[in-house]
Amino acid sequence: MLKIWGRPNSINVQKVLWTADELALAYDHVPAGREHGQVGEAWFAEMNPNRLVPVIDDDGFVLWESNAIVDYLARQYGKDGFCPTDARQQASARQWMDWATFTLVAAMTPVFWGLVRTPPGQQSDAAAIEKGIAACQAAFRLLDAQLKERAYLLGDSFTLADIPLGCAVYRWHALEVPREELPHLEAWYARLRDRPAYRARVMLPLT
């Protein structure tokens, strides 16, 4: 059986759990990381020497890095268009998945840490938060333009390309930050909220 390690409030673990639920996979979820521990154990380092989550073990096949895991699960178990078979569509999906991680989430990280993870009584970096908000707003304007004439990132159907960005857009809406009116982005976000797996795995309190 598929086994997934990672704390459920991690944006990267949420990608994997959401994907597994969309694919109706049977799996064993083991909370790990931060308050759940386990990542410091020697046996965990044998699976992932980075000592980070998520990690999966699919009948002996161990894999880490969230986008790689989403891509693997989609290719291995996806159907009904969730995983594109055309090489160009596959590349486009990976393009948006990587952009979500290295552009959007990277810009959002100092905002999240400053507003959510800064310990009480400790001063957050206001300049870093402001810079991150501006970078996120620019990224979301780009995403809004991509969604202008399509329901999802790659077209009319929900695919793995929507997973990383879907996790990020919920986090953005859960943060107390100024948000521009971006109608195409909001329509896409509404479509994601209609998905039971999205509500169950992604729409959780920020901690």
Side-chain angles (χ1 to χ4, degrees):
M1 176 184 287
L2 174 66
K3 196 167 187 176
I4 303 170
W5 283 269
R7 50 190 173 82
N9 64 337
S10 161
I11 192 171
N12 289 323
V13 176
Q14 289 171 352
K15 297 179 198 176
V16 176
L17 295 173
W18 179 18
T19 300
D21 284 358
E22 288 286 353
L23 297 173
L25 301 179
Y27 60 88
D28 180 17
H29 174 218
V30 182
R34 290 179 65 86
E35 68 272 20
H36 303 289
Q38 304 199 64
V39 297
E41 302 294 330
W43 61 265
F44 191 92
E46 290 181 5
M47 294 194 301
N48 183 357
N50 300 292
R51 298 180 183 271
L52 298 172
V53 293
V55 178
I56 68 166
D57 183 333
D58 189 22
D59 290 329
F61 176 61
V62 175
L63 189 65
W64 38 269
E65 290 295 336
S66 58
N67 285 353
I69 295 171
V70 170
D71 188 69
Y72 164 74
L73 294 177
R75 291 174 186 268
Q76 185 76 351
Y77 301 108
K79 56 184 179 180
D80 299 328
F82 181 71
C83 183
T85 57
D86 175 76
R88 294 182 178 182
Q89 285 287 85
Q90 289 175 348
S92 292
R94 192 60 198 227
Q95 166 190 275
W96 286 109
M97 293 169 73
D98 289 349
W99 183 84
T101 299
F102 298 114
T103 298
L104 181 54
V105 174
M108 198 181 303
T109 296
V111 183
F112 173 76
W113 278 87
L115 298 180
V116 178
R117 291 272 174 86
T118 299
Q122 182 175 323
Q123 186 69 31
S124 58
D125 188 338
I129 293 173
E130 184 177 355
K131 181 179 178 181
I133 290 173
C136 287
Q137 289 172 334
F140 279 120
R141 286 194 294 270
L142 186 155
L143 184 57
D144 184 70
Q146 171 68 12
L147 293 164
K148 183 177 181 180
E149 297 180 353
R150 58 187 68 196
Y152 297 97
L153 264 295
L154 299 187
D156 294 332
S157 300
F158 175 79
T159 71
L160 76 164
D162 296 285
I163 295 285
L165 282 165
C167 292
V169 78
Y170 167 72
R171 181 159 290 196
W172 179 246
H173 281 75
L175 290 168
E176 294 185 5
V177 295
R179 287 182 290 275
E180 299 178 12
E181 291 188 15
L182 300 171
H184 313 299
L185 176 68
E186 293 301 328
W188 171 71
Y189 180 42
R191 284 187 283 273
L192 296 183
R193 296 198 306 272
D194 285 338
R195 308 187 75 85
Y198 184 73
R199 296 194 299 270
R201 292 303 187 181
V202 180
M203 300 186 71
L204 302 177
L206 300 184
T207 57

